[in-house]
């Protein structure tokens, strides 16, 4: 799992996303010409801005003093100023961390940046303002860029499943063990970033560096707040209590959306790519699951994900088909018979050798390995 120190080496060499990178470029090259400076506070770098060329430079949401802004504009730089009074930064260069989205949780979830972002979305979505929709698009594009940088050269396995799976259940513990096993096997676990099965898989990834009893103890602690209803505050607090008791857990990715605002992100994904547009989020999650996807029992959303994933595998539009493992025979053959349809679609095509149905969550990692061949 890429962590932030390795981050700088991975993005486009023309992108400057931190003050350290800004200082390094200025001291090594003496010019900012042609660079993209993204969401870096430059109010204390007036001298450098006044003495370095900024021809063809683009500044995205970088606070700077008026004389510095006037000078870089005169050089021919494009300056997209920070947008005042927004609960999020549309130009951000990084994914979110749980602590950032849940900042101020002690005052109640309603006060957190996550809740304020949703409230802004609800307000602006209703009035159809082109300016607000542009800001959402710029934000989502910045998130996709940061996600690509993070996941470059990693083996990503997506774990899909419903948000209704309660903490304290056997199913939840099973999904958590799956996340732990995949992480220990060297995969990066990616989920839809919400509650239920998604949280369980991210929790499992978090538990990977600890001994096996830690996950049982964590599940027991979390069971005190089984669901994000009636109180998101209590639900999230329980997760932060687990993180405080076992700090420095394993890394994983959550890809949630403000489109489903009633459904908060979970605090166990170390990197959260939160989107406004659900379609961008769904496609981004499946397209980046390059080492395969495990589908746990879910309802309409999970069925949609199965076939969203099957389509590029069927047409091989993203190259070779990637492994698909469906878990729970009764669920996927009787309750929601997606498996027979998936089998019929795959027949005689390259993807036929890349799909499997297993009964138990414990069988999923071995099935993935087998399908990857």
């Amino acid at each position: 799992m890429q962590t932030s120190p390795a981050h700088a080496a991975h993005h486009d060499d023309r992108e400057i996303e931190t003050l350290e990178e800004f200082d390094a470029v200025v001291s090594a090259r003496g010019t900012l010409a042609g660079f993209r400076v993204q969401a870096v506070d430059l109010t204390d770098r007036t001298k450098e801005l006044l003495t370095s060329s900024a021809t063809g430079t683009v500044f995205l949401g970088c606070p700077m003093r008026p004389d510095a802004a006037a000078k870089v504009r005169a050089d021919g730089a494009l300056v997209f100023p920070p947008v005042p009074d927004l609960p999020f930064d549309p130009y951000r260069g990084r994914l979110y961390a749980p602590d950032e989205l849940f900042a101020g949780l002690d005052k109640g979830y309603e006060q957190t940046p996550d809740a304020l972002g949703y409230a802004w979305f609800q307000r602006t979505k209703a009035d159809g303002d082109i300016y607000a929709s542009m800001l959402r698009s710029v934000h989502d594009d910045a998130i996709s860029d940061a996600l690509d940088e993070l996941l470059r050269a990693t083996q990503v396995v997506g774990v899909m499943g419903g948000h209704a799976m309660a903490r304290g259940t056997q199913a939840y513990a099973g999904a958590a063990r799956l996340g732990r096993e995949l992480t220990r096997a060297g995969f990066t676990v990616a989920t839809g970033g919400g509650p239920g099965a998604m949280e369980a898989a991210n929790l499992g990834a978090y538990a990977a560096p600890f001994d096996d009893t830690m996950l049982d103890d964590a599940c027991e602690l979390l069971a005190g707040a089984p669901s994000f209803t009636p109180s998101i505050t209590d639900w999230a607090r329980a997760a932060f209590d687990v993180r405080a008791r076992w700090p420095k857990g394993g890394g994983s990715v959550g890809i949630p959306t403000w489109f489903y605002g009633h459904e908060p992100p979970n605090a166990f994904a170390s990197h959260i790519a939160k989107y406004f547009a659900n379609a961008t989020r769904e496609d981004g999650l499946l397209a980046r699951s390059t080492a395969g996807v495990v589908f746990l029992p879910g309802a309409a959303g999970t069925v949609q994900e199965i076939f969203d994933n099957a389509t590029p595998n069927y047409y091989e539009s993203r190259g070779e088909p990637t492994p698909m493992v469906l878990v729970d025979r009764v669920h996927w053959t009787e309750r929601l018979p997606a498996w027979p349809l998936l089998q019929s679609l795959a027949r005689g095509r390259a993807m036929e050798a890349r799909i499997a149905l297993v009964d138990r969550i414990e069988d999923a990692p071995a099935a993935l390995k087998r399908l990857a061949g």
Side-chain angles (χ1 to χ4, degrees):
M1 181 77 242
Q2 289 294 332
T3 46
S4 39
H7 175 100
H10 282 280
H11 59 62
D12 180 328
D13 290 340
R14 293 186 310 158
E15 287 178 18
I16 295 174
E17 297 174 351
T18 64
L19 215 42
E20 296 76 48
E21 288 175 15
F22 178 88
D23 292 341
V25 166
V26 170
S27 74
R29 305 188 181 216
T31 177
L32 291 163
F35 277 85
R36 312 282 180 251
V37 193
Q38 195 177 346
V40 181
D41 188 339
L42 298 174
T43 42
D44 294 335
R45 293 296 184 274
T46 303
K47 184 166 96 32
E48 290 79 355
L49 291 169
L50 293 176
T51 55
S52 309
S53 164
T55 314
T57 310
V58 179
F59 294 92
L60 296 165
C62 300
M64 56 180 92
R65 303 209 184 277
D67 49 343
K71 187 266 176 189
V72 298
R73 281 202 180 93
D75 280 356
L78 265 180
V79 180
F80 292 80
V83 182
D85 307 324
L86 270 190
F88 62 95
D89 177 2
Y91 307 113
R92 55 180 302 123
R94 305 272 165 131
L95 297 180
Y96 293 99
D99 297 336
E100 186 182 357
L101 285 173
F102 285 104
L105 182 66
D106 47 350
K107 298 189 191 74
Y109 172 71
E110 294 63 40
Q111 300 305 307
T112 64
D114 188 63
L116 297 171
Y118 176 60
W120 177 89
F121 181 32
Q122 287 302 93
R123 241 186 358 263
T124 58
K125 197 174 60 168
D127 61 19
D129 179 6
I130 179 72
Y131 177 55
S133 65
M134 182 195 78
L135 292 173
R136 292 197 293 270
S137 299
V138 170
H139 169 274
D140 285 3
D141 208 57
I143 289 293
S144 288
D145 185 57
L147 191 55
D148 284 339
E149 287 163 13
L150 177 79
L151 296 180
R152 197 161 294 151
T154 52
Q155 288 280 90
V156 181
V157 171
V159 178
M160 311 292 160
H163 65 260
M165 187 186 280
R167 293 166 169 176
T169 60
Q170 284 301 105
Y172 184 95
R177 286 194 299 273
L178 173 67
R180 183 175 68 185
E181 193 167 333
L182 290 169
T183 303
R184 286 177 176 172
F187 294 110
T188 294
V189 169
T191 76
M198 299 173 273
E199 180 187 58
N202 288 128
L203 165 65
Y206 188 88
F210 301 98
D211 66 17
D212 286 1
T213 57
M214 173 269 177
L215 187 54
D216 300 337
D217 295 346
C219 284
E220 202 170 315
L221 263 176
L222 292 170
S227 170
F228 62 96
T229 57
S231 166
I232 293 176
T233 306
D234 294 347
W235 174 84
R237 263 198 199 123
F240 282 102
D241 288 348
V242 167
R243 289 183 32 161
R245 188 163 154 190
W246 294 279
K248 299 195 167 69
S252 67
V253 177
I255 307 183
T257 173
W258 274 295
F259 182 77
Y260 296 128
H262 63 281
E263 194 178 285
N266 78 71
F268 293 111
S270 51
H271 299 85
I272 300 176
K274 188 143 194 184
Y275 286 96
F276 288 106
N278 188 45
T280 310
R281 167 249 190 170
E282 286 279 2
D283 190 57
L285 176 52
L286 293 166
R288 288 178 179 84
S289 297
T290 47
V293 183
V294 178
F295 297 92
L296 299 174
T302 312
V303 172
Q304 181 183 347
E305 285 161 348
I306 289 173
F307 293 103
D308 277 347
N309 200 41
T311 304
N313 283 344
Y314 179 88
Y315 290 113
E316 298 186 49
S317 54
R318 290 187 190 133
E320 279 203 14
T322 50
M324 297 177 67
V325 178
L326 277 59
V327 176
D328 190 332
R329 191 171 299 278
V330 171
H331 188 83
W332 294 123
T333 60
E334 293 172 29
R335 247 171 262 139
L336 296 171
W339 174 250
L341 178 52
L342 186 63
Q343 265 190 312
S344 306
L345 264 180
R347 199 157 294 132
R349 302 184 80 88
M351 72 181 280
E352 190 170 18
R354 298 286 169 92
I355 63 170
L357 174 66
V358 298
D359 217 20
R360 295 170 32 243
I361 263 180
E362 289 72 23
D363 302 330
L368 261 183
K369 275 204 189 78
R370 192 177 73 244
L371 297 179

